[in-house]
Amino acid sequence: MTSILTSHDAGEATTAKPRLVVVGNGMAGVRAIEEILSRNGRKLFDITVFGDEPYGNYNRILLSNVLAGSEDTGEIFLNPLDWYADNEIDLRAGARVVRIDRFARLVQADDGTSIRYDQLILATGSRSFFPPMDGMWADDRTLTSGVFGFRSLDDCTAMIDYAADKTKAVVIGGGLLGLEAARGLQNRGLTVDVVHSPATLMNAQLDEAAGAIVRRSVENIGITVHTGQSTKRVLTQGGSVAGVAFADGTTVECDMLVVSAGIRPNVGLALRAGLTVERAIVVDDHMRSVDDDDIYVVGECAQHRGQVYGLVAPLWDQAKVLADHLTGTDRRAAYHGSRMATKLKVAGVDVAAMGLKAPEHPDDEFVQFAEPKHGIYKTIVVRDGKLVGATLVGDVRKVAFLMQAFDRGLPLPEERISLMFDIGTPDVEVGVAELAADTQVCNCNGVSKSALVACVNGGQKTVPGVMTATRAGKGCGSCKTLVAQIVEWAAGGVVEDDPSASWYVPGIPYEKPELMRLIRELQLHSVSSVFAALAPDGREDANSKMGLASLLQMMWTHEFVDERDARFVNDRVHANIQRDGTFSVVPQMKGGVTDSAQLRKIADVADKYAIPLIKLTGGQRIDLLGVRKEDLPAVWADLDMPSGFAYSKSFRTVKTCVGSDFCRYGVGDSTSLGIAIEQRFQGIPGPAKMKLAVTGCPRNCAEALCKDLGVVAVDGGCWEIYVGGAAGAHIRKGDLLATVDSPELVVQLTGRFLQYYRENANWLERTYTWVPRVGIDTIRAVVVEDRDGDGARLDAEMHKAVDAYRDPWKDREKPATPGQFRSALPLAVLPQVPIR
């Protein structure tokens, strides 16, 4: 088979390799690619991947953690963009395939491109299901303002942004995802009601008794639960959601609504291509469409023997069979279906469920234990001496043993109760030793016990090292304890500490102080020179580049050699990429102060460049969203204002109140001080973004107590300085660093604190983590009391950084590279973000 290149491919090298096109850049599609690559797929195929979302591949299971604030969005990516490049995969991120021409073997995307395929994999996944009800939609394609599904990273980030100033949320759906959404929104300060039409929460996995225990646990943390209620209508006010109305006529008010009422496979593309679709795309045992031998299907959009799987483990099984068959590694490979088992934590409660919830035949054995007062419930179902079902709530210590018995159909002990408790069966530790070698420990990434043991035997003796090497525990994380137990067992109880945990970046084996010393000693001014001198074998590591670039810029200021490939796209073009591939532009407004001339410029630019959305930010600035990459230089020129640094790991802004000039309660000129601080420290790079605020009285209108550094005016002409506060994904009140009696001293201590933070914090470590880690007493001793005699040096280093300030938007006059502001994959022109 030989690919025929289309006009889109003009200029690309002609290839004799068959072209494999994958539609879907989600977990199933990319897992299939990984399996293919592991079978020499890079030499067998030219691979092109289309993904609706403008990102690399991320772990959808962890969206609940992002919503709850326990993980940042950057932490859930499985494969960054560099991974695709490293594997010579042509990623079309943000391009949706809209048509398959099976006769011509052609796929067409909504960005106007088309490409021939020799083999096609459909991994289109599924989407949120929105039950039909009045008020749900603003029009045919747009949900009512305040209504969200919970399926994608964009759903998640949109929910986080919208929830920032809301107080009450309703979640429709009391399944796993709905409960996780409810807990996440509660963590963000909202009062939450969960509405579930069946009588039992998580009724797909749990029986009535187990559901009651989960309900009690959910209610105990302050979430109101409505079961047996059918939502008939979404109430609106002023175009936004205002509540929901039930079938019995009662209502619940809210200003945010999340719908988690199930999912539906994305099968429209397959239907239009003439493939057989029932509940999903019907496939054979080789994971091929039953209609076309050159089209494979994997994941939630595939229907195999009447079954559609939504859990991760079955998708991994499917991906292996698909890869075996497609690459010819094993043309007899066949998928025979998966047994459904899951282990998770719901609203803080451990839950494991597999197989049947209750006996179905008269001779099925059913063992049940309930201790509702302590939140514990266990059942097992045994048929013909084999485990065919189990439910564990509150106590899942026996889950590894049970999953092994369930998966493998192992003979069971005569004392069935021993399947629930350590009575005549090995305790947990011994059970780990006796687990079969092929027991799948990590269901998310399909890692077996033997793989973990092999990794340990191969020389990896640390738990994080084994997890990184095998990807075990990198999914939902519920298996981490078991992974650690296996590693410890395999290592003979001698688990080593992971030295890389303290490295500044993963690719350079030095802690930050030693790394900085070597960089100074060896006069290393560029990221590539650091890799060449300090990385093992001089090997470059993509995950280390941004951190190194930031560190070098901090250390060398104007002597820093800026290499563009070491920068994230935001830092290369000095704007913040949005999900549709456009950028947002935020001009500087020092202290949140502007004037009519600036406002006119912004309005004129918005009109001239047809800016689709103008939005006030939480930092008292104006965000112009939807700017095309190639328009950025012209937009900056017409604005004729400095960059507001809304995109980088750097000093961002100083929020202020009106202070003593206008406010009746103001005791200090917060506006002038805020402007002075922003003027001095504008744009200095750091390990993470730095947000500041100055407020004119203890009423704290500028929210200074929850900033990286906040200043509060108090009686007597004094100012209190707080550090380490946060009010984003994490909430923390800052610690009092000092109380001083002049604005000049505020500016000096601000600079000294920021420099001390820049020199000592880990990469991406915000002050709200760094301050408690180091301790406010230590920081105060160094920064305020000059305990170490290092104050003058910190002042001097900060002064050097201030002197090196240069407005990055000046790049418009002389781009750093010819293509700096030219769109290129994966930043192709994409469908515009819908504007409400």
Side-chain angles (χ1 to χ4, degrees), residues 3 10 47 118 201 287 331 338 377 428 482 492 532 569 586 601 626 710 739 751 778 827:
S3 294
I47 302 176
D118 295 293
L201 291 180
M287 300 308 300
R331 298 290 293 179
S338 299
Y377 180 78
V428 172
L482 184 56
V569 61
V586 180
K601 284 182 183 176
T739 302
T778 297
L827 300 177

Side-chain angles (χ1 to χ4, degrees), residues 574 585-595 598-599 601-602 617 619-624 636 639-647 650-654 674-684 805-809:
H574 317 306
V585 169
V586 180
Q588 186 183 50
M589 289 180 177
K590 295 170 187 170
V593 175
T594 186
D595 57 28
Q598 285 188 340
L599 293 176
K601 284 182 183 176
I602 292 172
T617 73
Q620 296 180 331
R621 294 175 293 181
I622 294 177
D623 195 351
L624 303 174
W636 297 335
L639 282 171
D640 194 24
M641 295 169 65
S643 168
F645 288 90
Y647 56 88
S650 68
F651 182 98
R652 293 271 180 106
T653 186
V654 180
I675 292 173
I677 292 174
E678 186 161 345
Q679 175 73 37
R680 178 163 178 75
F681 302 112
Q682 56 190 342
I684 61 167
Y805 170 75
R806 173 186 172 276
D807 181 8
W809 285 0

Side-chain angles (χ1 to χ4, degrees), residues 689-708:
K689 57 190 174 185
M690 294 168 276
K691 296 181 176 180
L692 284 71
V694 182
T695 189
C697 79
R699 285 173 177 78
N700 194 30
C701 291
E703 301 163 337
L705 297 181
C706 53
K707 296 294 185 184
D708 292 290

Side-chain angles (χ1 to χ4, degrees), residues 59-140:
N59 188 337
R60 203 177 298 277
I61 298 169
L62 298 182
L63 289 177
S64 297
N65 293 357
V66 174
L67 180 62
S70 58
E71 291 190 77
D72 293 328
T73 54
E75 298 176 81
I76 68 171
F77 278 88
L78 297 169
N79 299 99
L81 297 178
D82 287 346
W83 176 83
Y84 297 87
D86 292 344
N87 287 286
E88 300 177 0
I89 296 171
D90 173 20
L91 173 64
R92 311 289 177 91
R96 178 190 298 266
V97 172
V98 294
R99 182 170 180 266
I100 300 170
D101 185 335
R102 290 170 51 200
F103 179 78
R105 291 188 175 183
L106 191 72
V107 296
Q108 297 176 346
D110 61 356
D111 61 356
T113 62
S114 61
I115 190 170
R116 289 283 306 275
Y117 67 84
D118 295 293
Q119 303 286 340
L120 179 66
I121 297 176
L122 297 179
T124 50
S126 58
R127 66 186 187 282
S128 295
F129 170 64
F130 294 93
M133 61 181 70
D134 293 339
M136 182 78 78
W137 297 88
D139 54 41
D140 291 342

Side-chain angles (χ1 to χ4, degrees), residues 54-55 154 570 575-585 623 625-627 830 833:
Y55 313 117
D154 289 333
N570 285 8
N576 199 353
I577 192 168
Q578 304 298 306
R579 74 179 179 91
D580 63 350
T582 62
F583 292 81
S584 73
V585 169
D623 195 351
L625 292 127
V627 181
L830 305 172
V833 175

Side-chain angles (χ1 to χ4, degrees), residues 336-583:
H336 300 296
S338 299
R339 309 194 77 179
M340 305 290 278
T342 187
K343 176 180 177 295
L344 39 90
K345 187 180 283 287
V346 183
V349 182
D350 285 313
V351 176
M354 60 200 82
L356 301 180
K357 294 185 289 185
E360 294 180 339
H361 300 164
D363 55 351
D364 282 347
E365 299 175 56
F366 184 56
V367 185
Q368 185 179 37
F369 175 85
E371 197 174 11
K373 186 176 180 181
H374 295 97
I376 296 175
Y377 180 78
K378 303 182 181 187
T379 66
I380 58 172
V381 184
V382 177
R383 179 179 298 166
D384 299 330
K386 309 293 184 185
L387 184 69
V388 294
T391 302
L392 304 173
V393 177
D395 178 4
V396 296
R397 287 177 294 176
K398 299 291 288 186
V399 67
F401 186 88
L402 291 173
M403 279 194 169
Q404 182 188 19
F406 177 74
D407 287 338
R408 298 169 59 84
L410 298 177
L412 302 178
E414 289 299 321
E415 302 82 4
R416 305 301 194 210
I417 192 68
S418 65
L419 292 169
M420 296 179 174
F421 304 99
D422 289 333
I423 302 173
T425 57
D427 58 24
V428 172
E429 289 72 19
V430 178
V432 166
E434 293 192 351
L435 284 176
D438 61 349
T439 299
Q440 186 157 292
V441 178
C442 175
N443 288 328
C444 293
N445 288 306
V447 183
S448 66
K449 175 187 171 183
S450 61
L452 297 173
V453 173
C455 187
V456 174
N457 293 338
Q460 186 53 260
K461 305 292 185 184
T462 70
V463 174
V466 172
M467 291 172 64
T468 299
T470 63
R471 299 177 67 176
K474 298 292 186 180
C476 68
S478 62
C479 65
K480 286 182 179 178
T481 300
L482 184 56
V483 171
Q485 291 171 349
I486 292 174
V487 172
E488 185 174 357
W489 168 79
V494 188
V495 177
E496 299 174 0
D497 292 334
D498 180 14
S500 67
S502 60
W503 297 350
Y504 180 65
V505 290
I508 307 292
Y510 296 103
E511 296 182 24
K512 189 172 184 179
E514 178 66 3
L515 176 60
M516 291 176 65
R517 186 188 69 77
L518 290 170
I519 287 172
R520 285 198 185 93
E521 186 174 296
L522 299 174
Q523 290 288 298
L524 306 175
H525 293 254
S526 67
V527 170
S528 60
S529 67
V530 175
F531 282 127
L534 303 178
D537 301 324
R539 186 172 55 251
E540 295 197 357
D541 175 55
N543 293 325
S544 302
K545 289 185 176 180
M546 284 181 60
L548 285 176
S550 173
L551 182 66
L552 292 172
Q553 188 176 9
M554 186 269 289
M555 293 177 62
W556 296 115
T557 58
H558 61 279
E559 298 176 79
F560 164 57
V561 178
D562 191 359
E563 296 168 319
R564 312 304 290 176
D565 69 339
R567 297 285 197 170
F568 182 54
V569 61
N570 285 8
D571 291 308
R572 292 200 300 268
V573 301
H574 317 306
N576 199 353
I577 192 168
Q578 304 298 306
R579 74 179 179 91
D580 63 350
T582 62
F583 292 81

Side-chain angles (χ1 to χ4, degrees), residues 159-460:
M159 288 166 63
I160 292 170
D161 292 343
Y162 193 85
D165 59 351
K166 301 298 182 291
T167 59
K168 177 69 180 291
V170 166
V171 176
I172 296 179
L176 167 64
L177 198 59
L179 294 177
E180 290 293 288
R183 183 62 185 271
L185 291 171
Q186 187 191 43
N187 283 353
R188 293 186 177 275
L190 280 72
T191 303
V192 184
D193 284 26
V194 171
V195 180
H196 194 51
S197 54
T200 302
L201 291 180
M202 292 184 65
N203 55 294
Q205 294 88 12
L206 305 180
D207 61 18
E208 185 177 344
I213 289 176
V214 171
R215 174 173 183 154
R216 191 175 301 113
S217 300
V218 170
E219 290 176 333
N220 284 342
I221 62 174
I223 294 174
T224 302
V225 177
H226 310 262
T227 54
Q229 283 281 21
S230 177
T231 308
K232 290 298 183 187
R233 190 158 55 96
V234 176
L235 306 176
T236 61
Q237 185 174 20
S240 298
V241 65
V244 294
F246 300 135
D248 62 5
T250 60
T251 62
V252 174
E253 295 181 351
C254 66
D255 50 15
M256 183 173 181
L257 176 64
V258 176
V259 181
S260 180
I263 58 176
R264 295 292 183 271
N266 289 318
V267 296
L269 187 65
L271 275 173
R272 293 193 294 276
L275 301 180
T276 299
V277 174
E278 294 174 357
R279 295 171 59 201
I281 307 167
V282 180
V283 299
D284 62 17
D285 285 355
H286 302 307
M287 300 308 300
R288 293 180 305 188
S289 160
V290 294
D291 307 288
D292 193 325
D293 287 349
D294 292 322
I295 299 180
Y296 291 78
V297 188
V298 65
E300 294 171 328
C301 61
Q303 176 182 320
H304 176 262
R305 299 187 185 182
Q307 183 71 43
V308 178
Y309 297 93
L311 297 177
V312 171
L315 312 188
W316 292 176
D317 296 338
Q318 294 175 359
K320 290 177 183 175
V321 170
L322 184 156
D324 278 341
H325 196 265
L326 179 62
T327 62
T329 305
D330 181 3
R331 298 290 293 179
R332 295 175 300 174
Y335 179 65
H336 300 296
S338 299
R339 309 194 77 179
M340 305 290 278
T342 187
K343 176 180 177 295
L344 39 90
K345 187 180 283 287
V346 183
V349 182
D350 285 313
V351 176
M354 60 200 82
L356 301 180
K357 294 185 289 185
E360 294 180 339
H361 300 164
D363 55 351
D364 282 347
E365 299 175 56
F366 184 56
V367 185
Q368 185 179 37
F369 175 85
E371 197 174 11
K373 186 176 180 181
H374 295 97
I376 296 175
Y377 180 78
K378 303 182 181 187
T379 66
I380 58 172
V381 184
V382 177
R383 179 179 298 166
D384 299 330
K386 309 293 184 185
L387 184 69
V388 294
T391 302
L392 304 173
V393 177
D395 178 4
V396 296
R397 287 177 294 176
K398 299 291 288 186
V399 67
F401 186 88
L402 291 173
M403 279 194 169
Q404 182 188 19
F406 177 74
D407 287 338
R408 298 169 59 84
L410 298 177
L412 302 178
E414 289 299 321
E415 302 82 4
R416 305 301 194 210
I417 192 68
S418 65
L419 292 169
M420 296 179 174
F421 304 99
D422 289 333
I423 302 173
T425 57
D427 58 24
V428 172
E429 289 72 19
V430 178
V432 166
E434 293 192 351
L435 284 176
D438 61 349
T439 299
Q440 186 157 292
V441 178
C442 175
N443 288 328
C444 293
N445 288 306
V447 183
S448 66
K449 175 187 171 183
S450 61
L452 297 173
V453 173
C455 187
V456 174
N457 293 338
Q460 186 53 260

